[in-house]
Amino acid sequence: GKLPGSLGQVFVKKSGRDQIWITVETCHILNLEMNFLEQSIPNNITDLTNLEILDLDDNDLTSTIPQDIKYLTSLRNLTIRNNNLNGSLPSFECLSNLEVLDLGVNELSGHITSSFCDDLRKLRILRLDNNTFTGNLPHNMDELGNDNGLHNLEYLHLQWNGLEGRIQNVGIDKLTSLIELRLDHNFFIEEIPVTPLAFANSFSKIP
């Protein structure tokens, strides 16, 4: 199936032929994972102005992530893992409340930009693994989840991409709340430390 063209009401299929219709005013959580959804995410997903959690994992969604998704300003959790999305990352400049962003296992490409890091100040979990991102990491990785000096980022998964260049001096060592760091299966120059603590320690020893 596909997401409806009009999201003034959201169709959620349950077991059998049961249906639930959720109005825009009441929709705070939309979980449509594992529903065999196809085609693209409709641009008017932004009609769901109060949406806080959007889970579209494990479907067959294609095309790009709508540019206007940045206007879902109440979003705290956005997961579209394991689909067939392509294109580059959209702007997340208005998503200051976003805590979880999981776009892993898609066909996304392009660069991870410095503006992307600047926009996501409350982020705790970032998973962009198993895509086709290329290029160097931006110099301000330490801005991810940096909310006025409070470092929130705990999980950073960038493995299985085409990222390259140096991992020193891009700010990852300053992500002091990191619990899990995955940079493997890319084309970085330096050896990747096993743990975030080892990562920080390795940089502290560099003259």
Side-chain angles (χ1 to χ4, degrees):
K2 64 179 181 178
L3 288 168
S6 173
L7 290 170
Q9 291 180 316
V10 180
F11 170 69
V12 181
K13 186 175 181 180
K14 298 184 75 179
S15 60
R17 294 183 177 272
D18 293 342
Q19 299 176 1
I20 293 178
W21 293 91
I22 307 172
T23 65
V24 168
E25 290 77 14
T26 61
C27 187
H28 293 272
I29 299 174
L30 180 57
N31 187 338
L32 294 175
E33 64 175 331
M34 299 181 69
N35 268 282
F36 303 102
L37 296 174
E38 300 173 334
Q39 300 186 22
S40 61
I41 302 170
N43 288 323
N44 60 346
I45 190 77
T46 53
D47 289 348
L48 304 176
T49 53
N50 293 316
L51 201 61
E52 296 180 21
I53 297 176
L54 176 59
D55 187 343
L56 301 175
D57 289 354
D58 301 306
N59 285 291
D60 293 309
L61 295 168
T62 58
S63 191
T64 59
I65 301 171
Q67 291 293 323
D68 285 349
I69 204 163
K70 64 183 178 181
Y71 296 122
L72 290 174
T73 56
S74 296
L75 267 186
R76 293 185 293 107
N77 190 327
L78 174 60
T79 63
I80 322 178
R81 187 177 187 84
N82 194 23
N83 280 276
N84 296 301
L85 298 172
N86 56 59
S88 58
L89 291 170
S91 170
F92 294 99
E93 63 180 323
C94 301
L95 300 185
S96 59
N97 295 309
L98 198 65
E99 298 179 10
V100 177
L101 178 60
D102 189 346
L103 303 176
V105 195
N106 279 287
E107 299 170 15
L108 297 170
S109 59
H111 294 180
I112 300 172
T113 64
S114 57
S115 60
F116 173 81
C117 298
D118 286 332
D119 294 337
L120 300 173
R121 296 288 181 162
K122 293 186 178 178
L123 204 64
R124 295 186 300 104
I125 298 172
L126 176 61
R127 294 190 174 106
L128 299 178
D129 57 283
N130 290 271
N131 281 286
T132 58
F133 293 112
T134 56
N136 297 335
L137 291 176
H139 63 88
N140 59 336
M141 292 290 290
D142 56 313
E143 294 300 325
L144 281 169
N146 184 354
D147 188 12
N148 294 317
L150 177 64
H151 291 280
N152 297 301
L153 195 69
E154 297 177 347
Y155 295 88
L156 177 58
H157 290 185
L158 301 177
Q159 72 271 24
W160 289 101
N161 278 286
L163 298 168
E164 59 187 355
R166 306 183 70 86
I167 55 176
Q168 296 179 19
N169 303 320
V170 296
I172 293 180
D173 58 310
K174 298 177 183 177
L175 296 172
T176 54
S177 295
L178 270 184
I179 296 172
E180 190 168 281
L181 173 66
R182 292 288 308 274
L183 299 174
D184 52 282
H185 294 90
N186 282 287
F187 301 101
F188 295 118
I189 296 172
E190 293 99 357
E191 181 180 353
I192 300 169
V194 176
T195 66
L197 179 60
F199 192 95
N201 288 341
S202 70
F203 283 173
S204 68
K205 297 175 183 176
I206 296 173

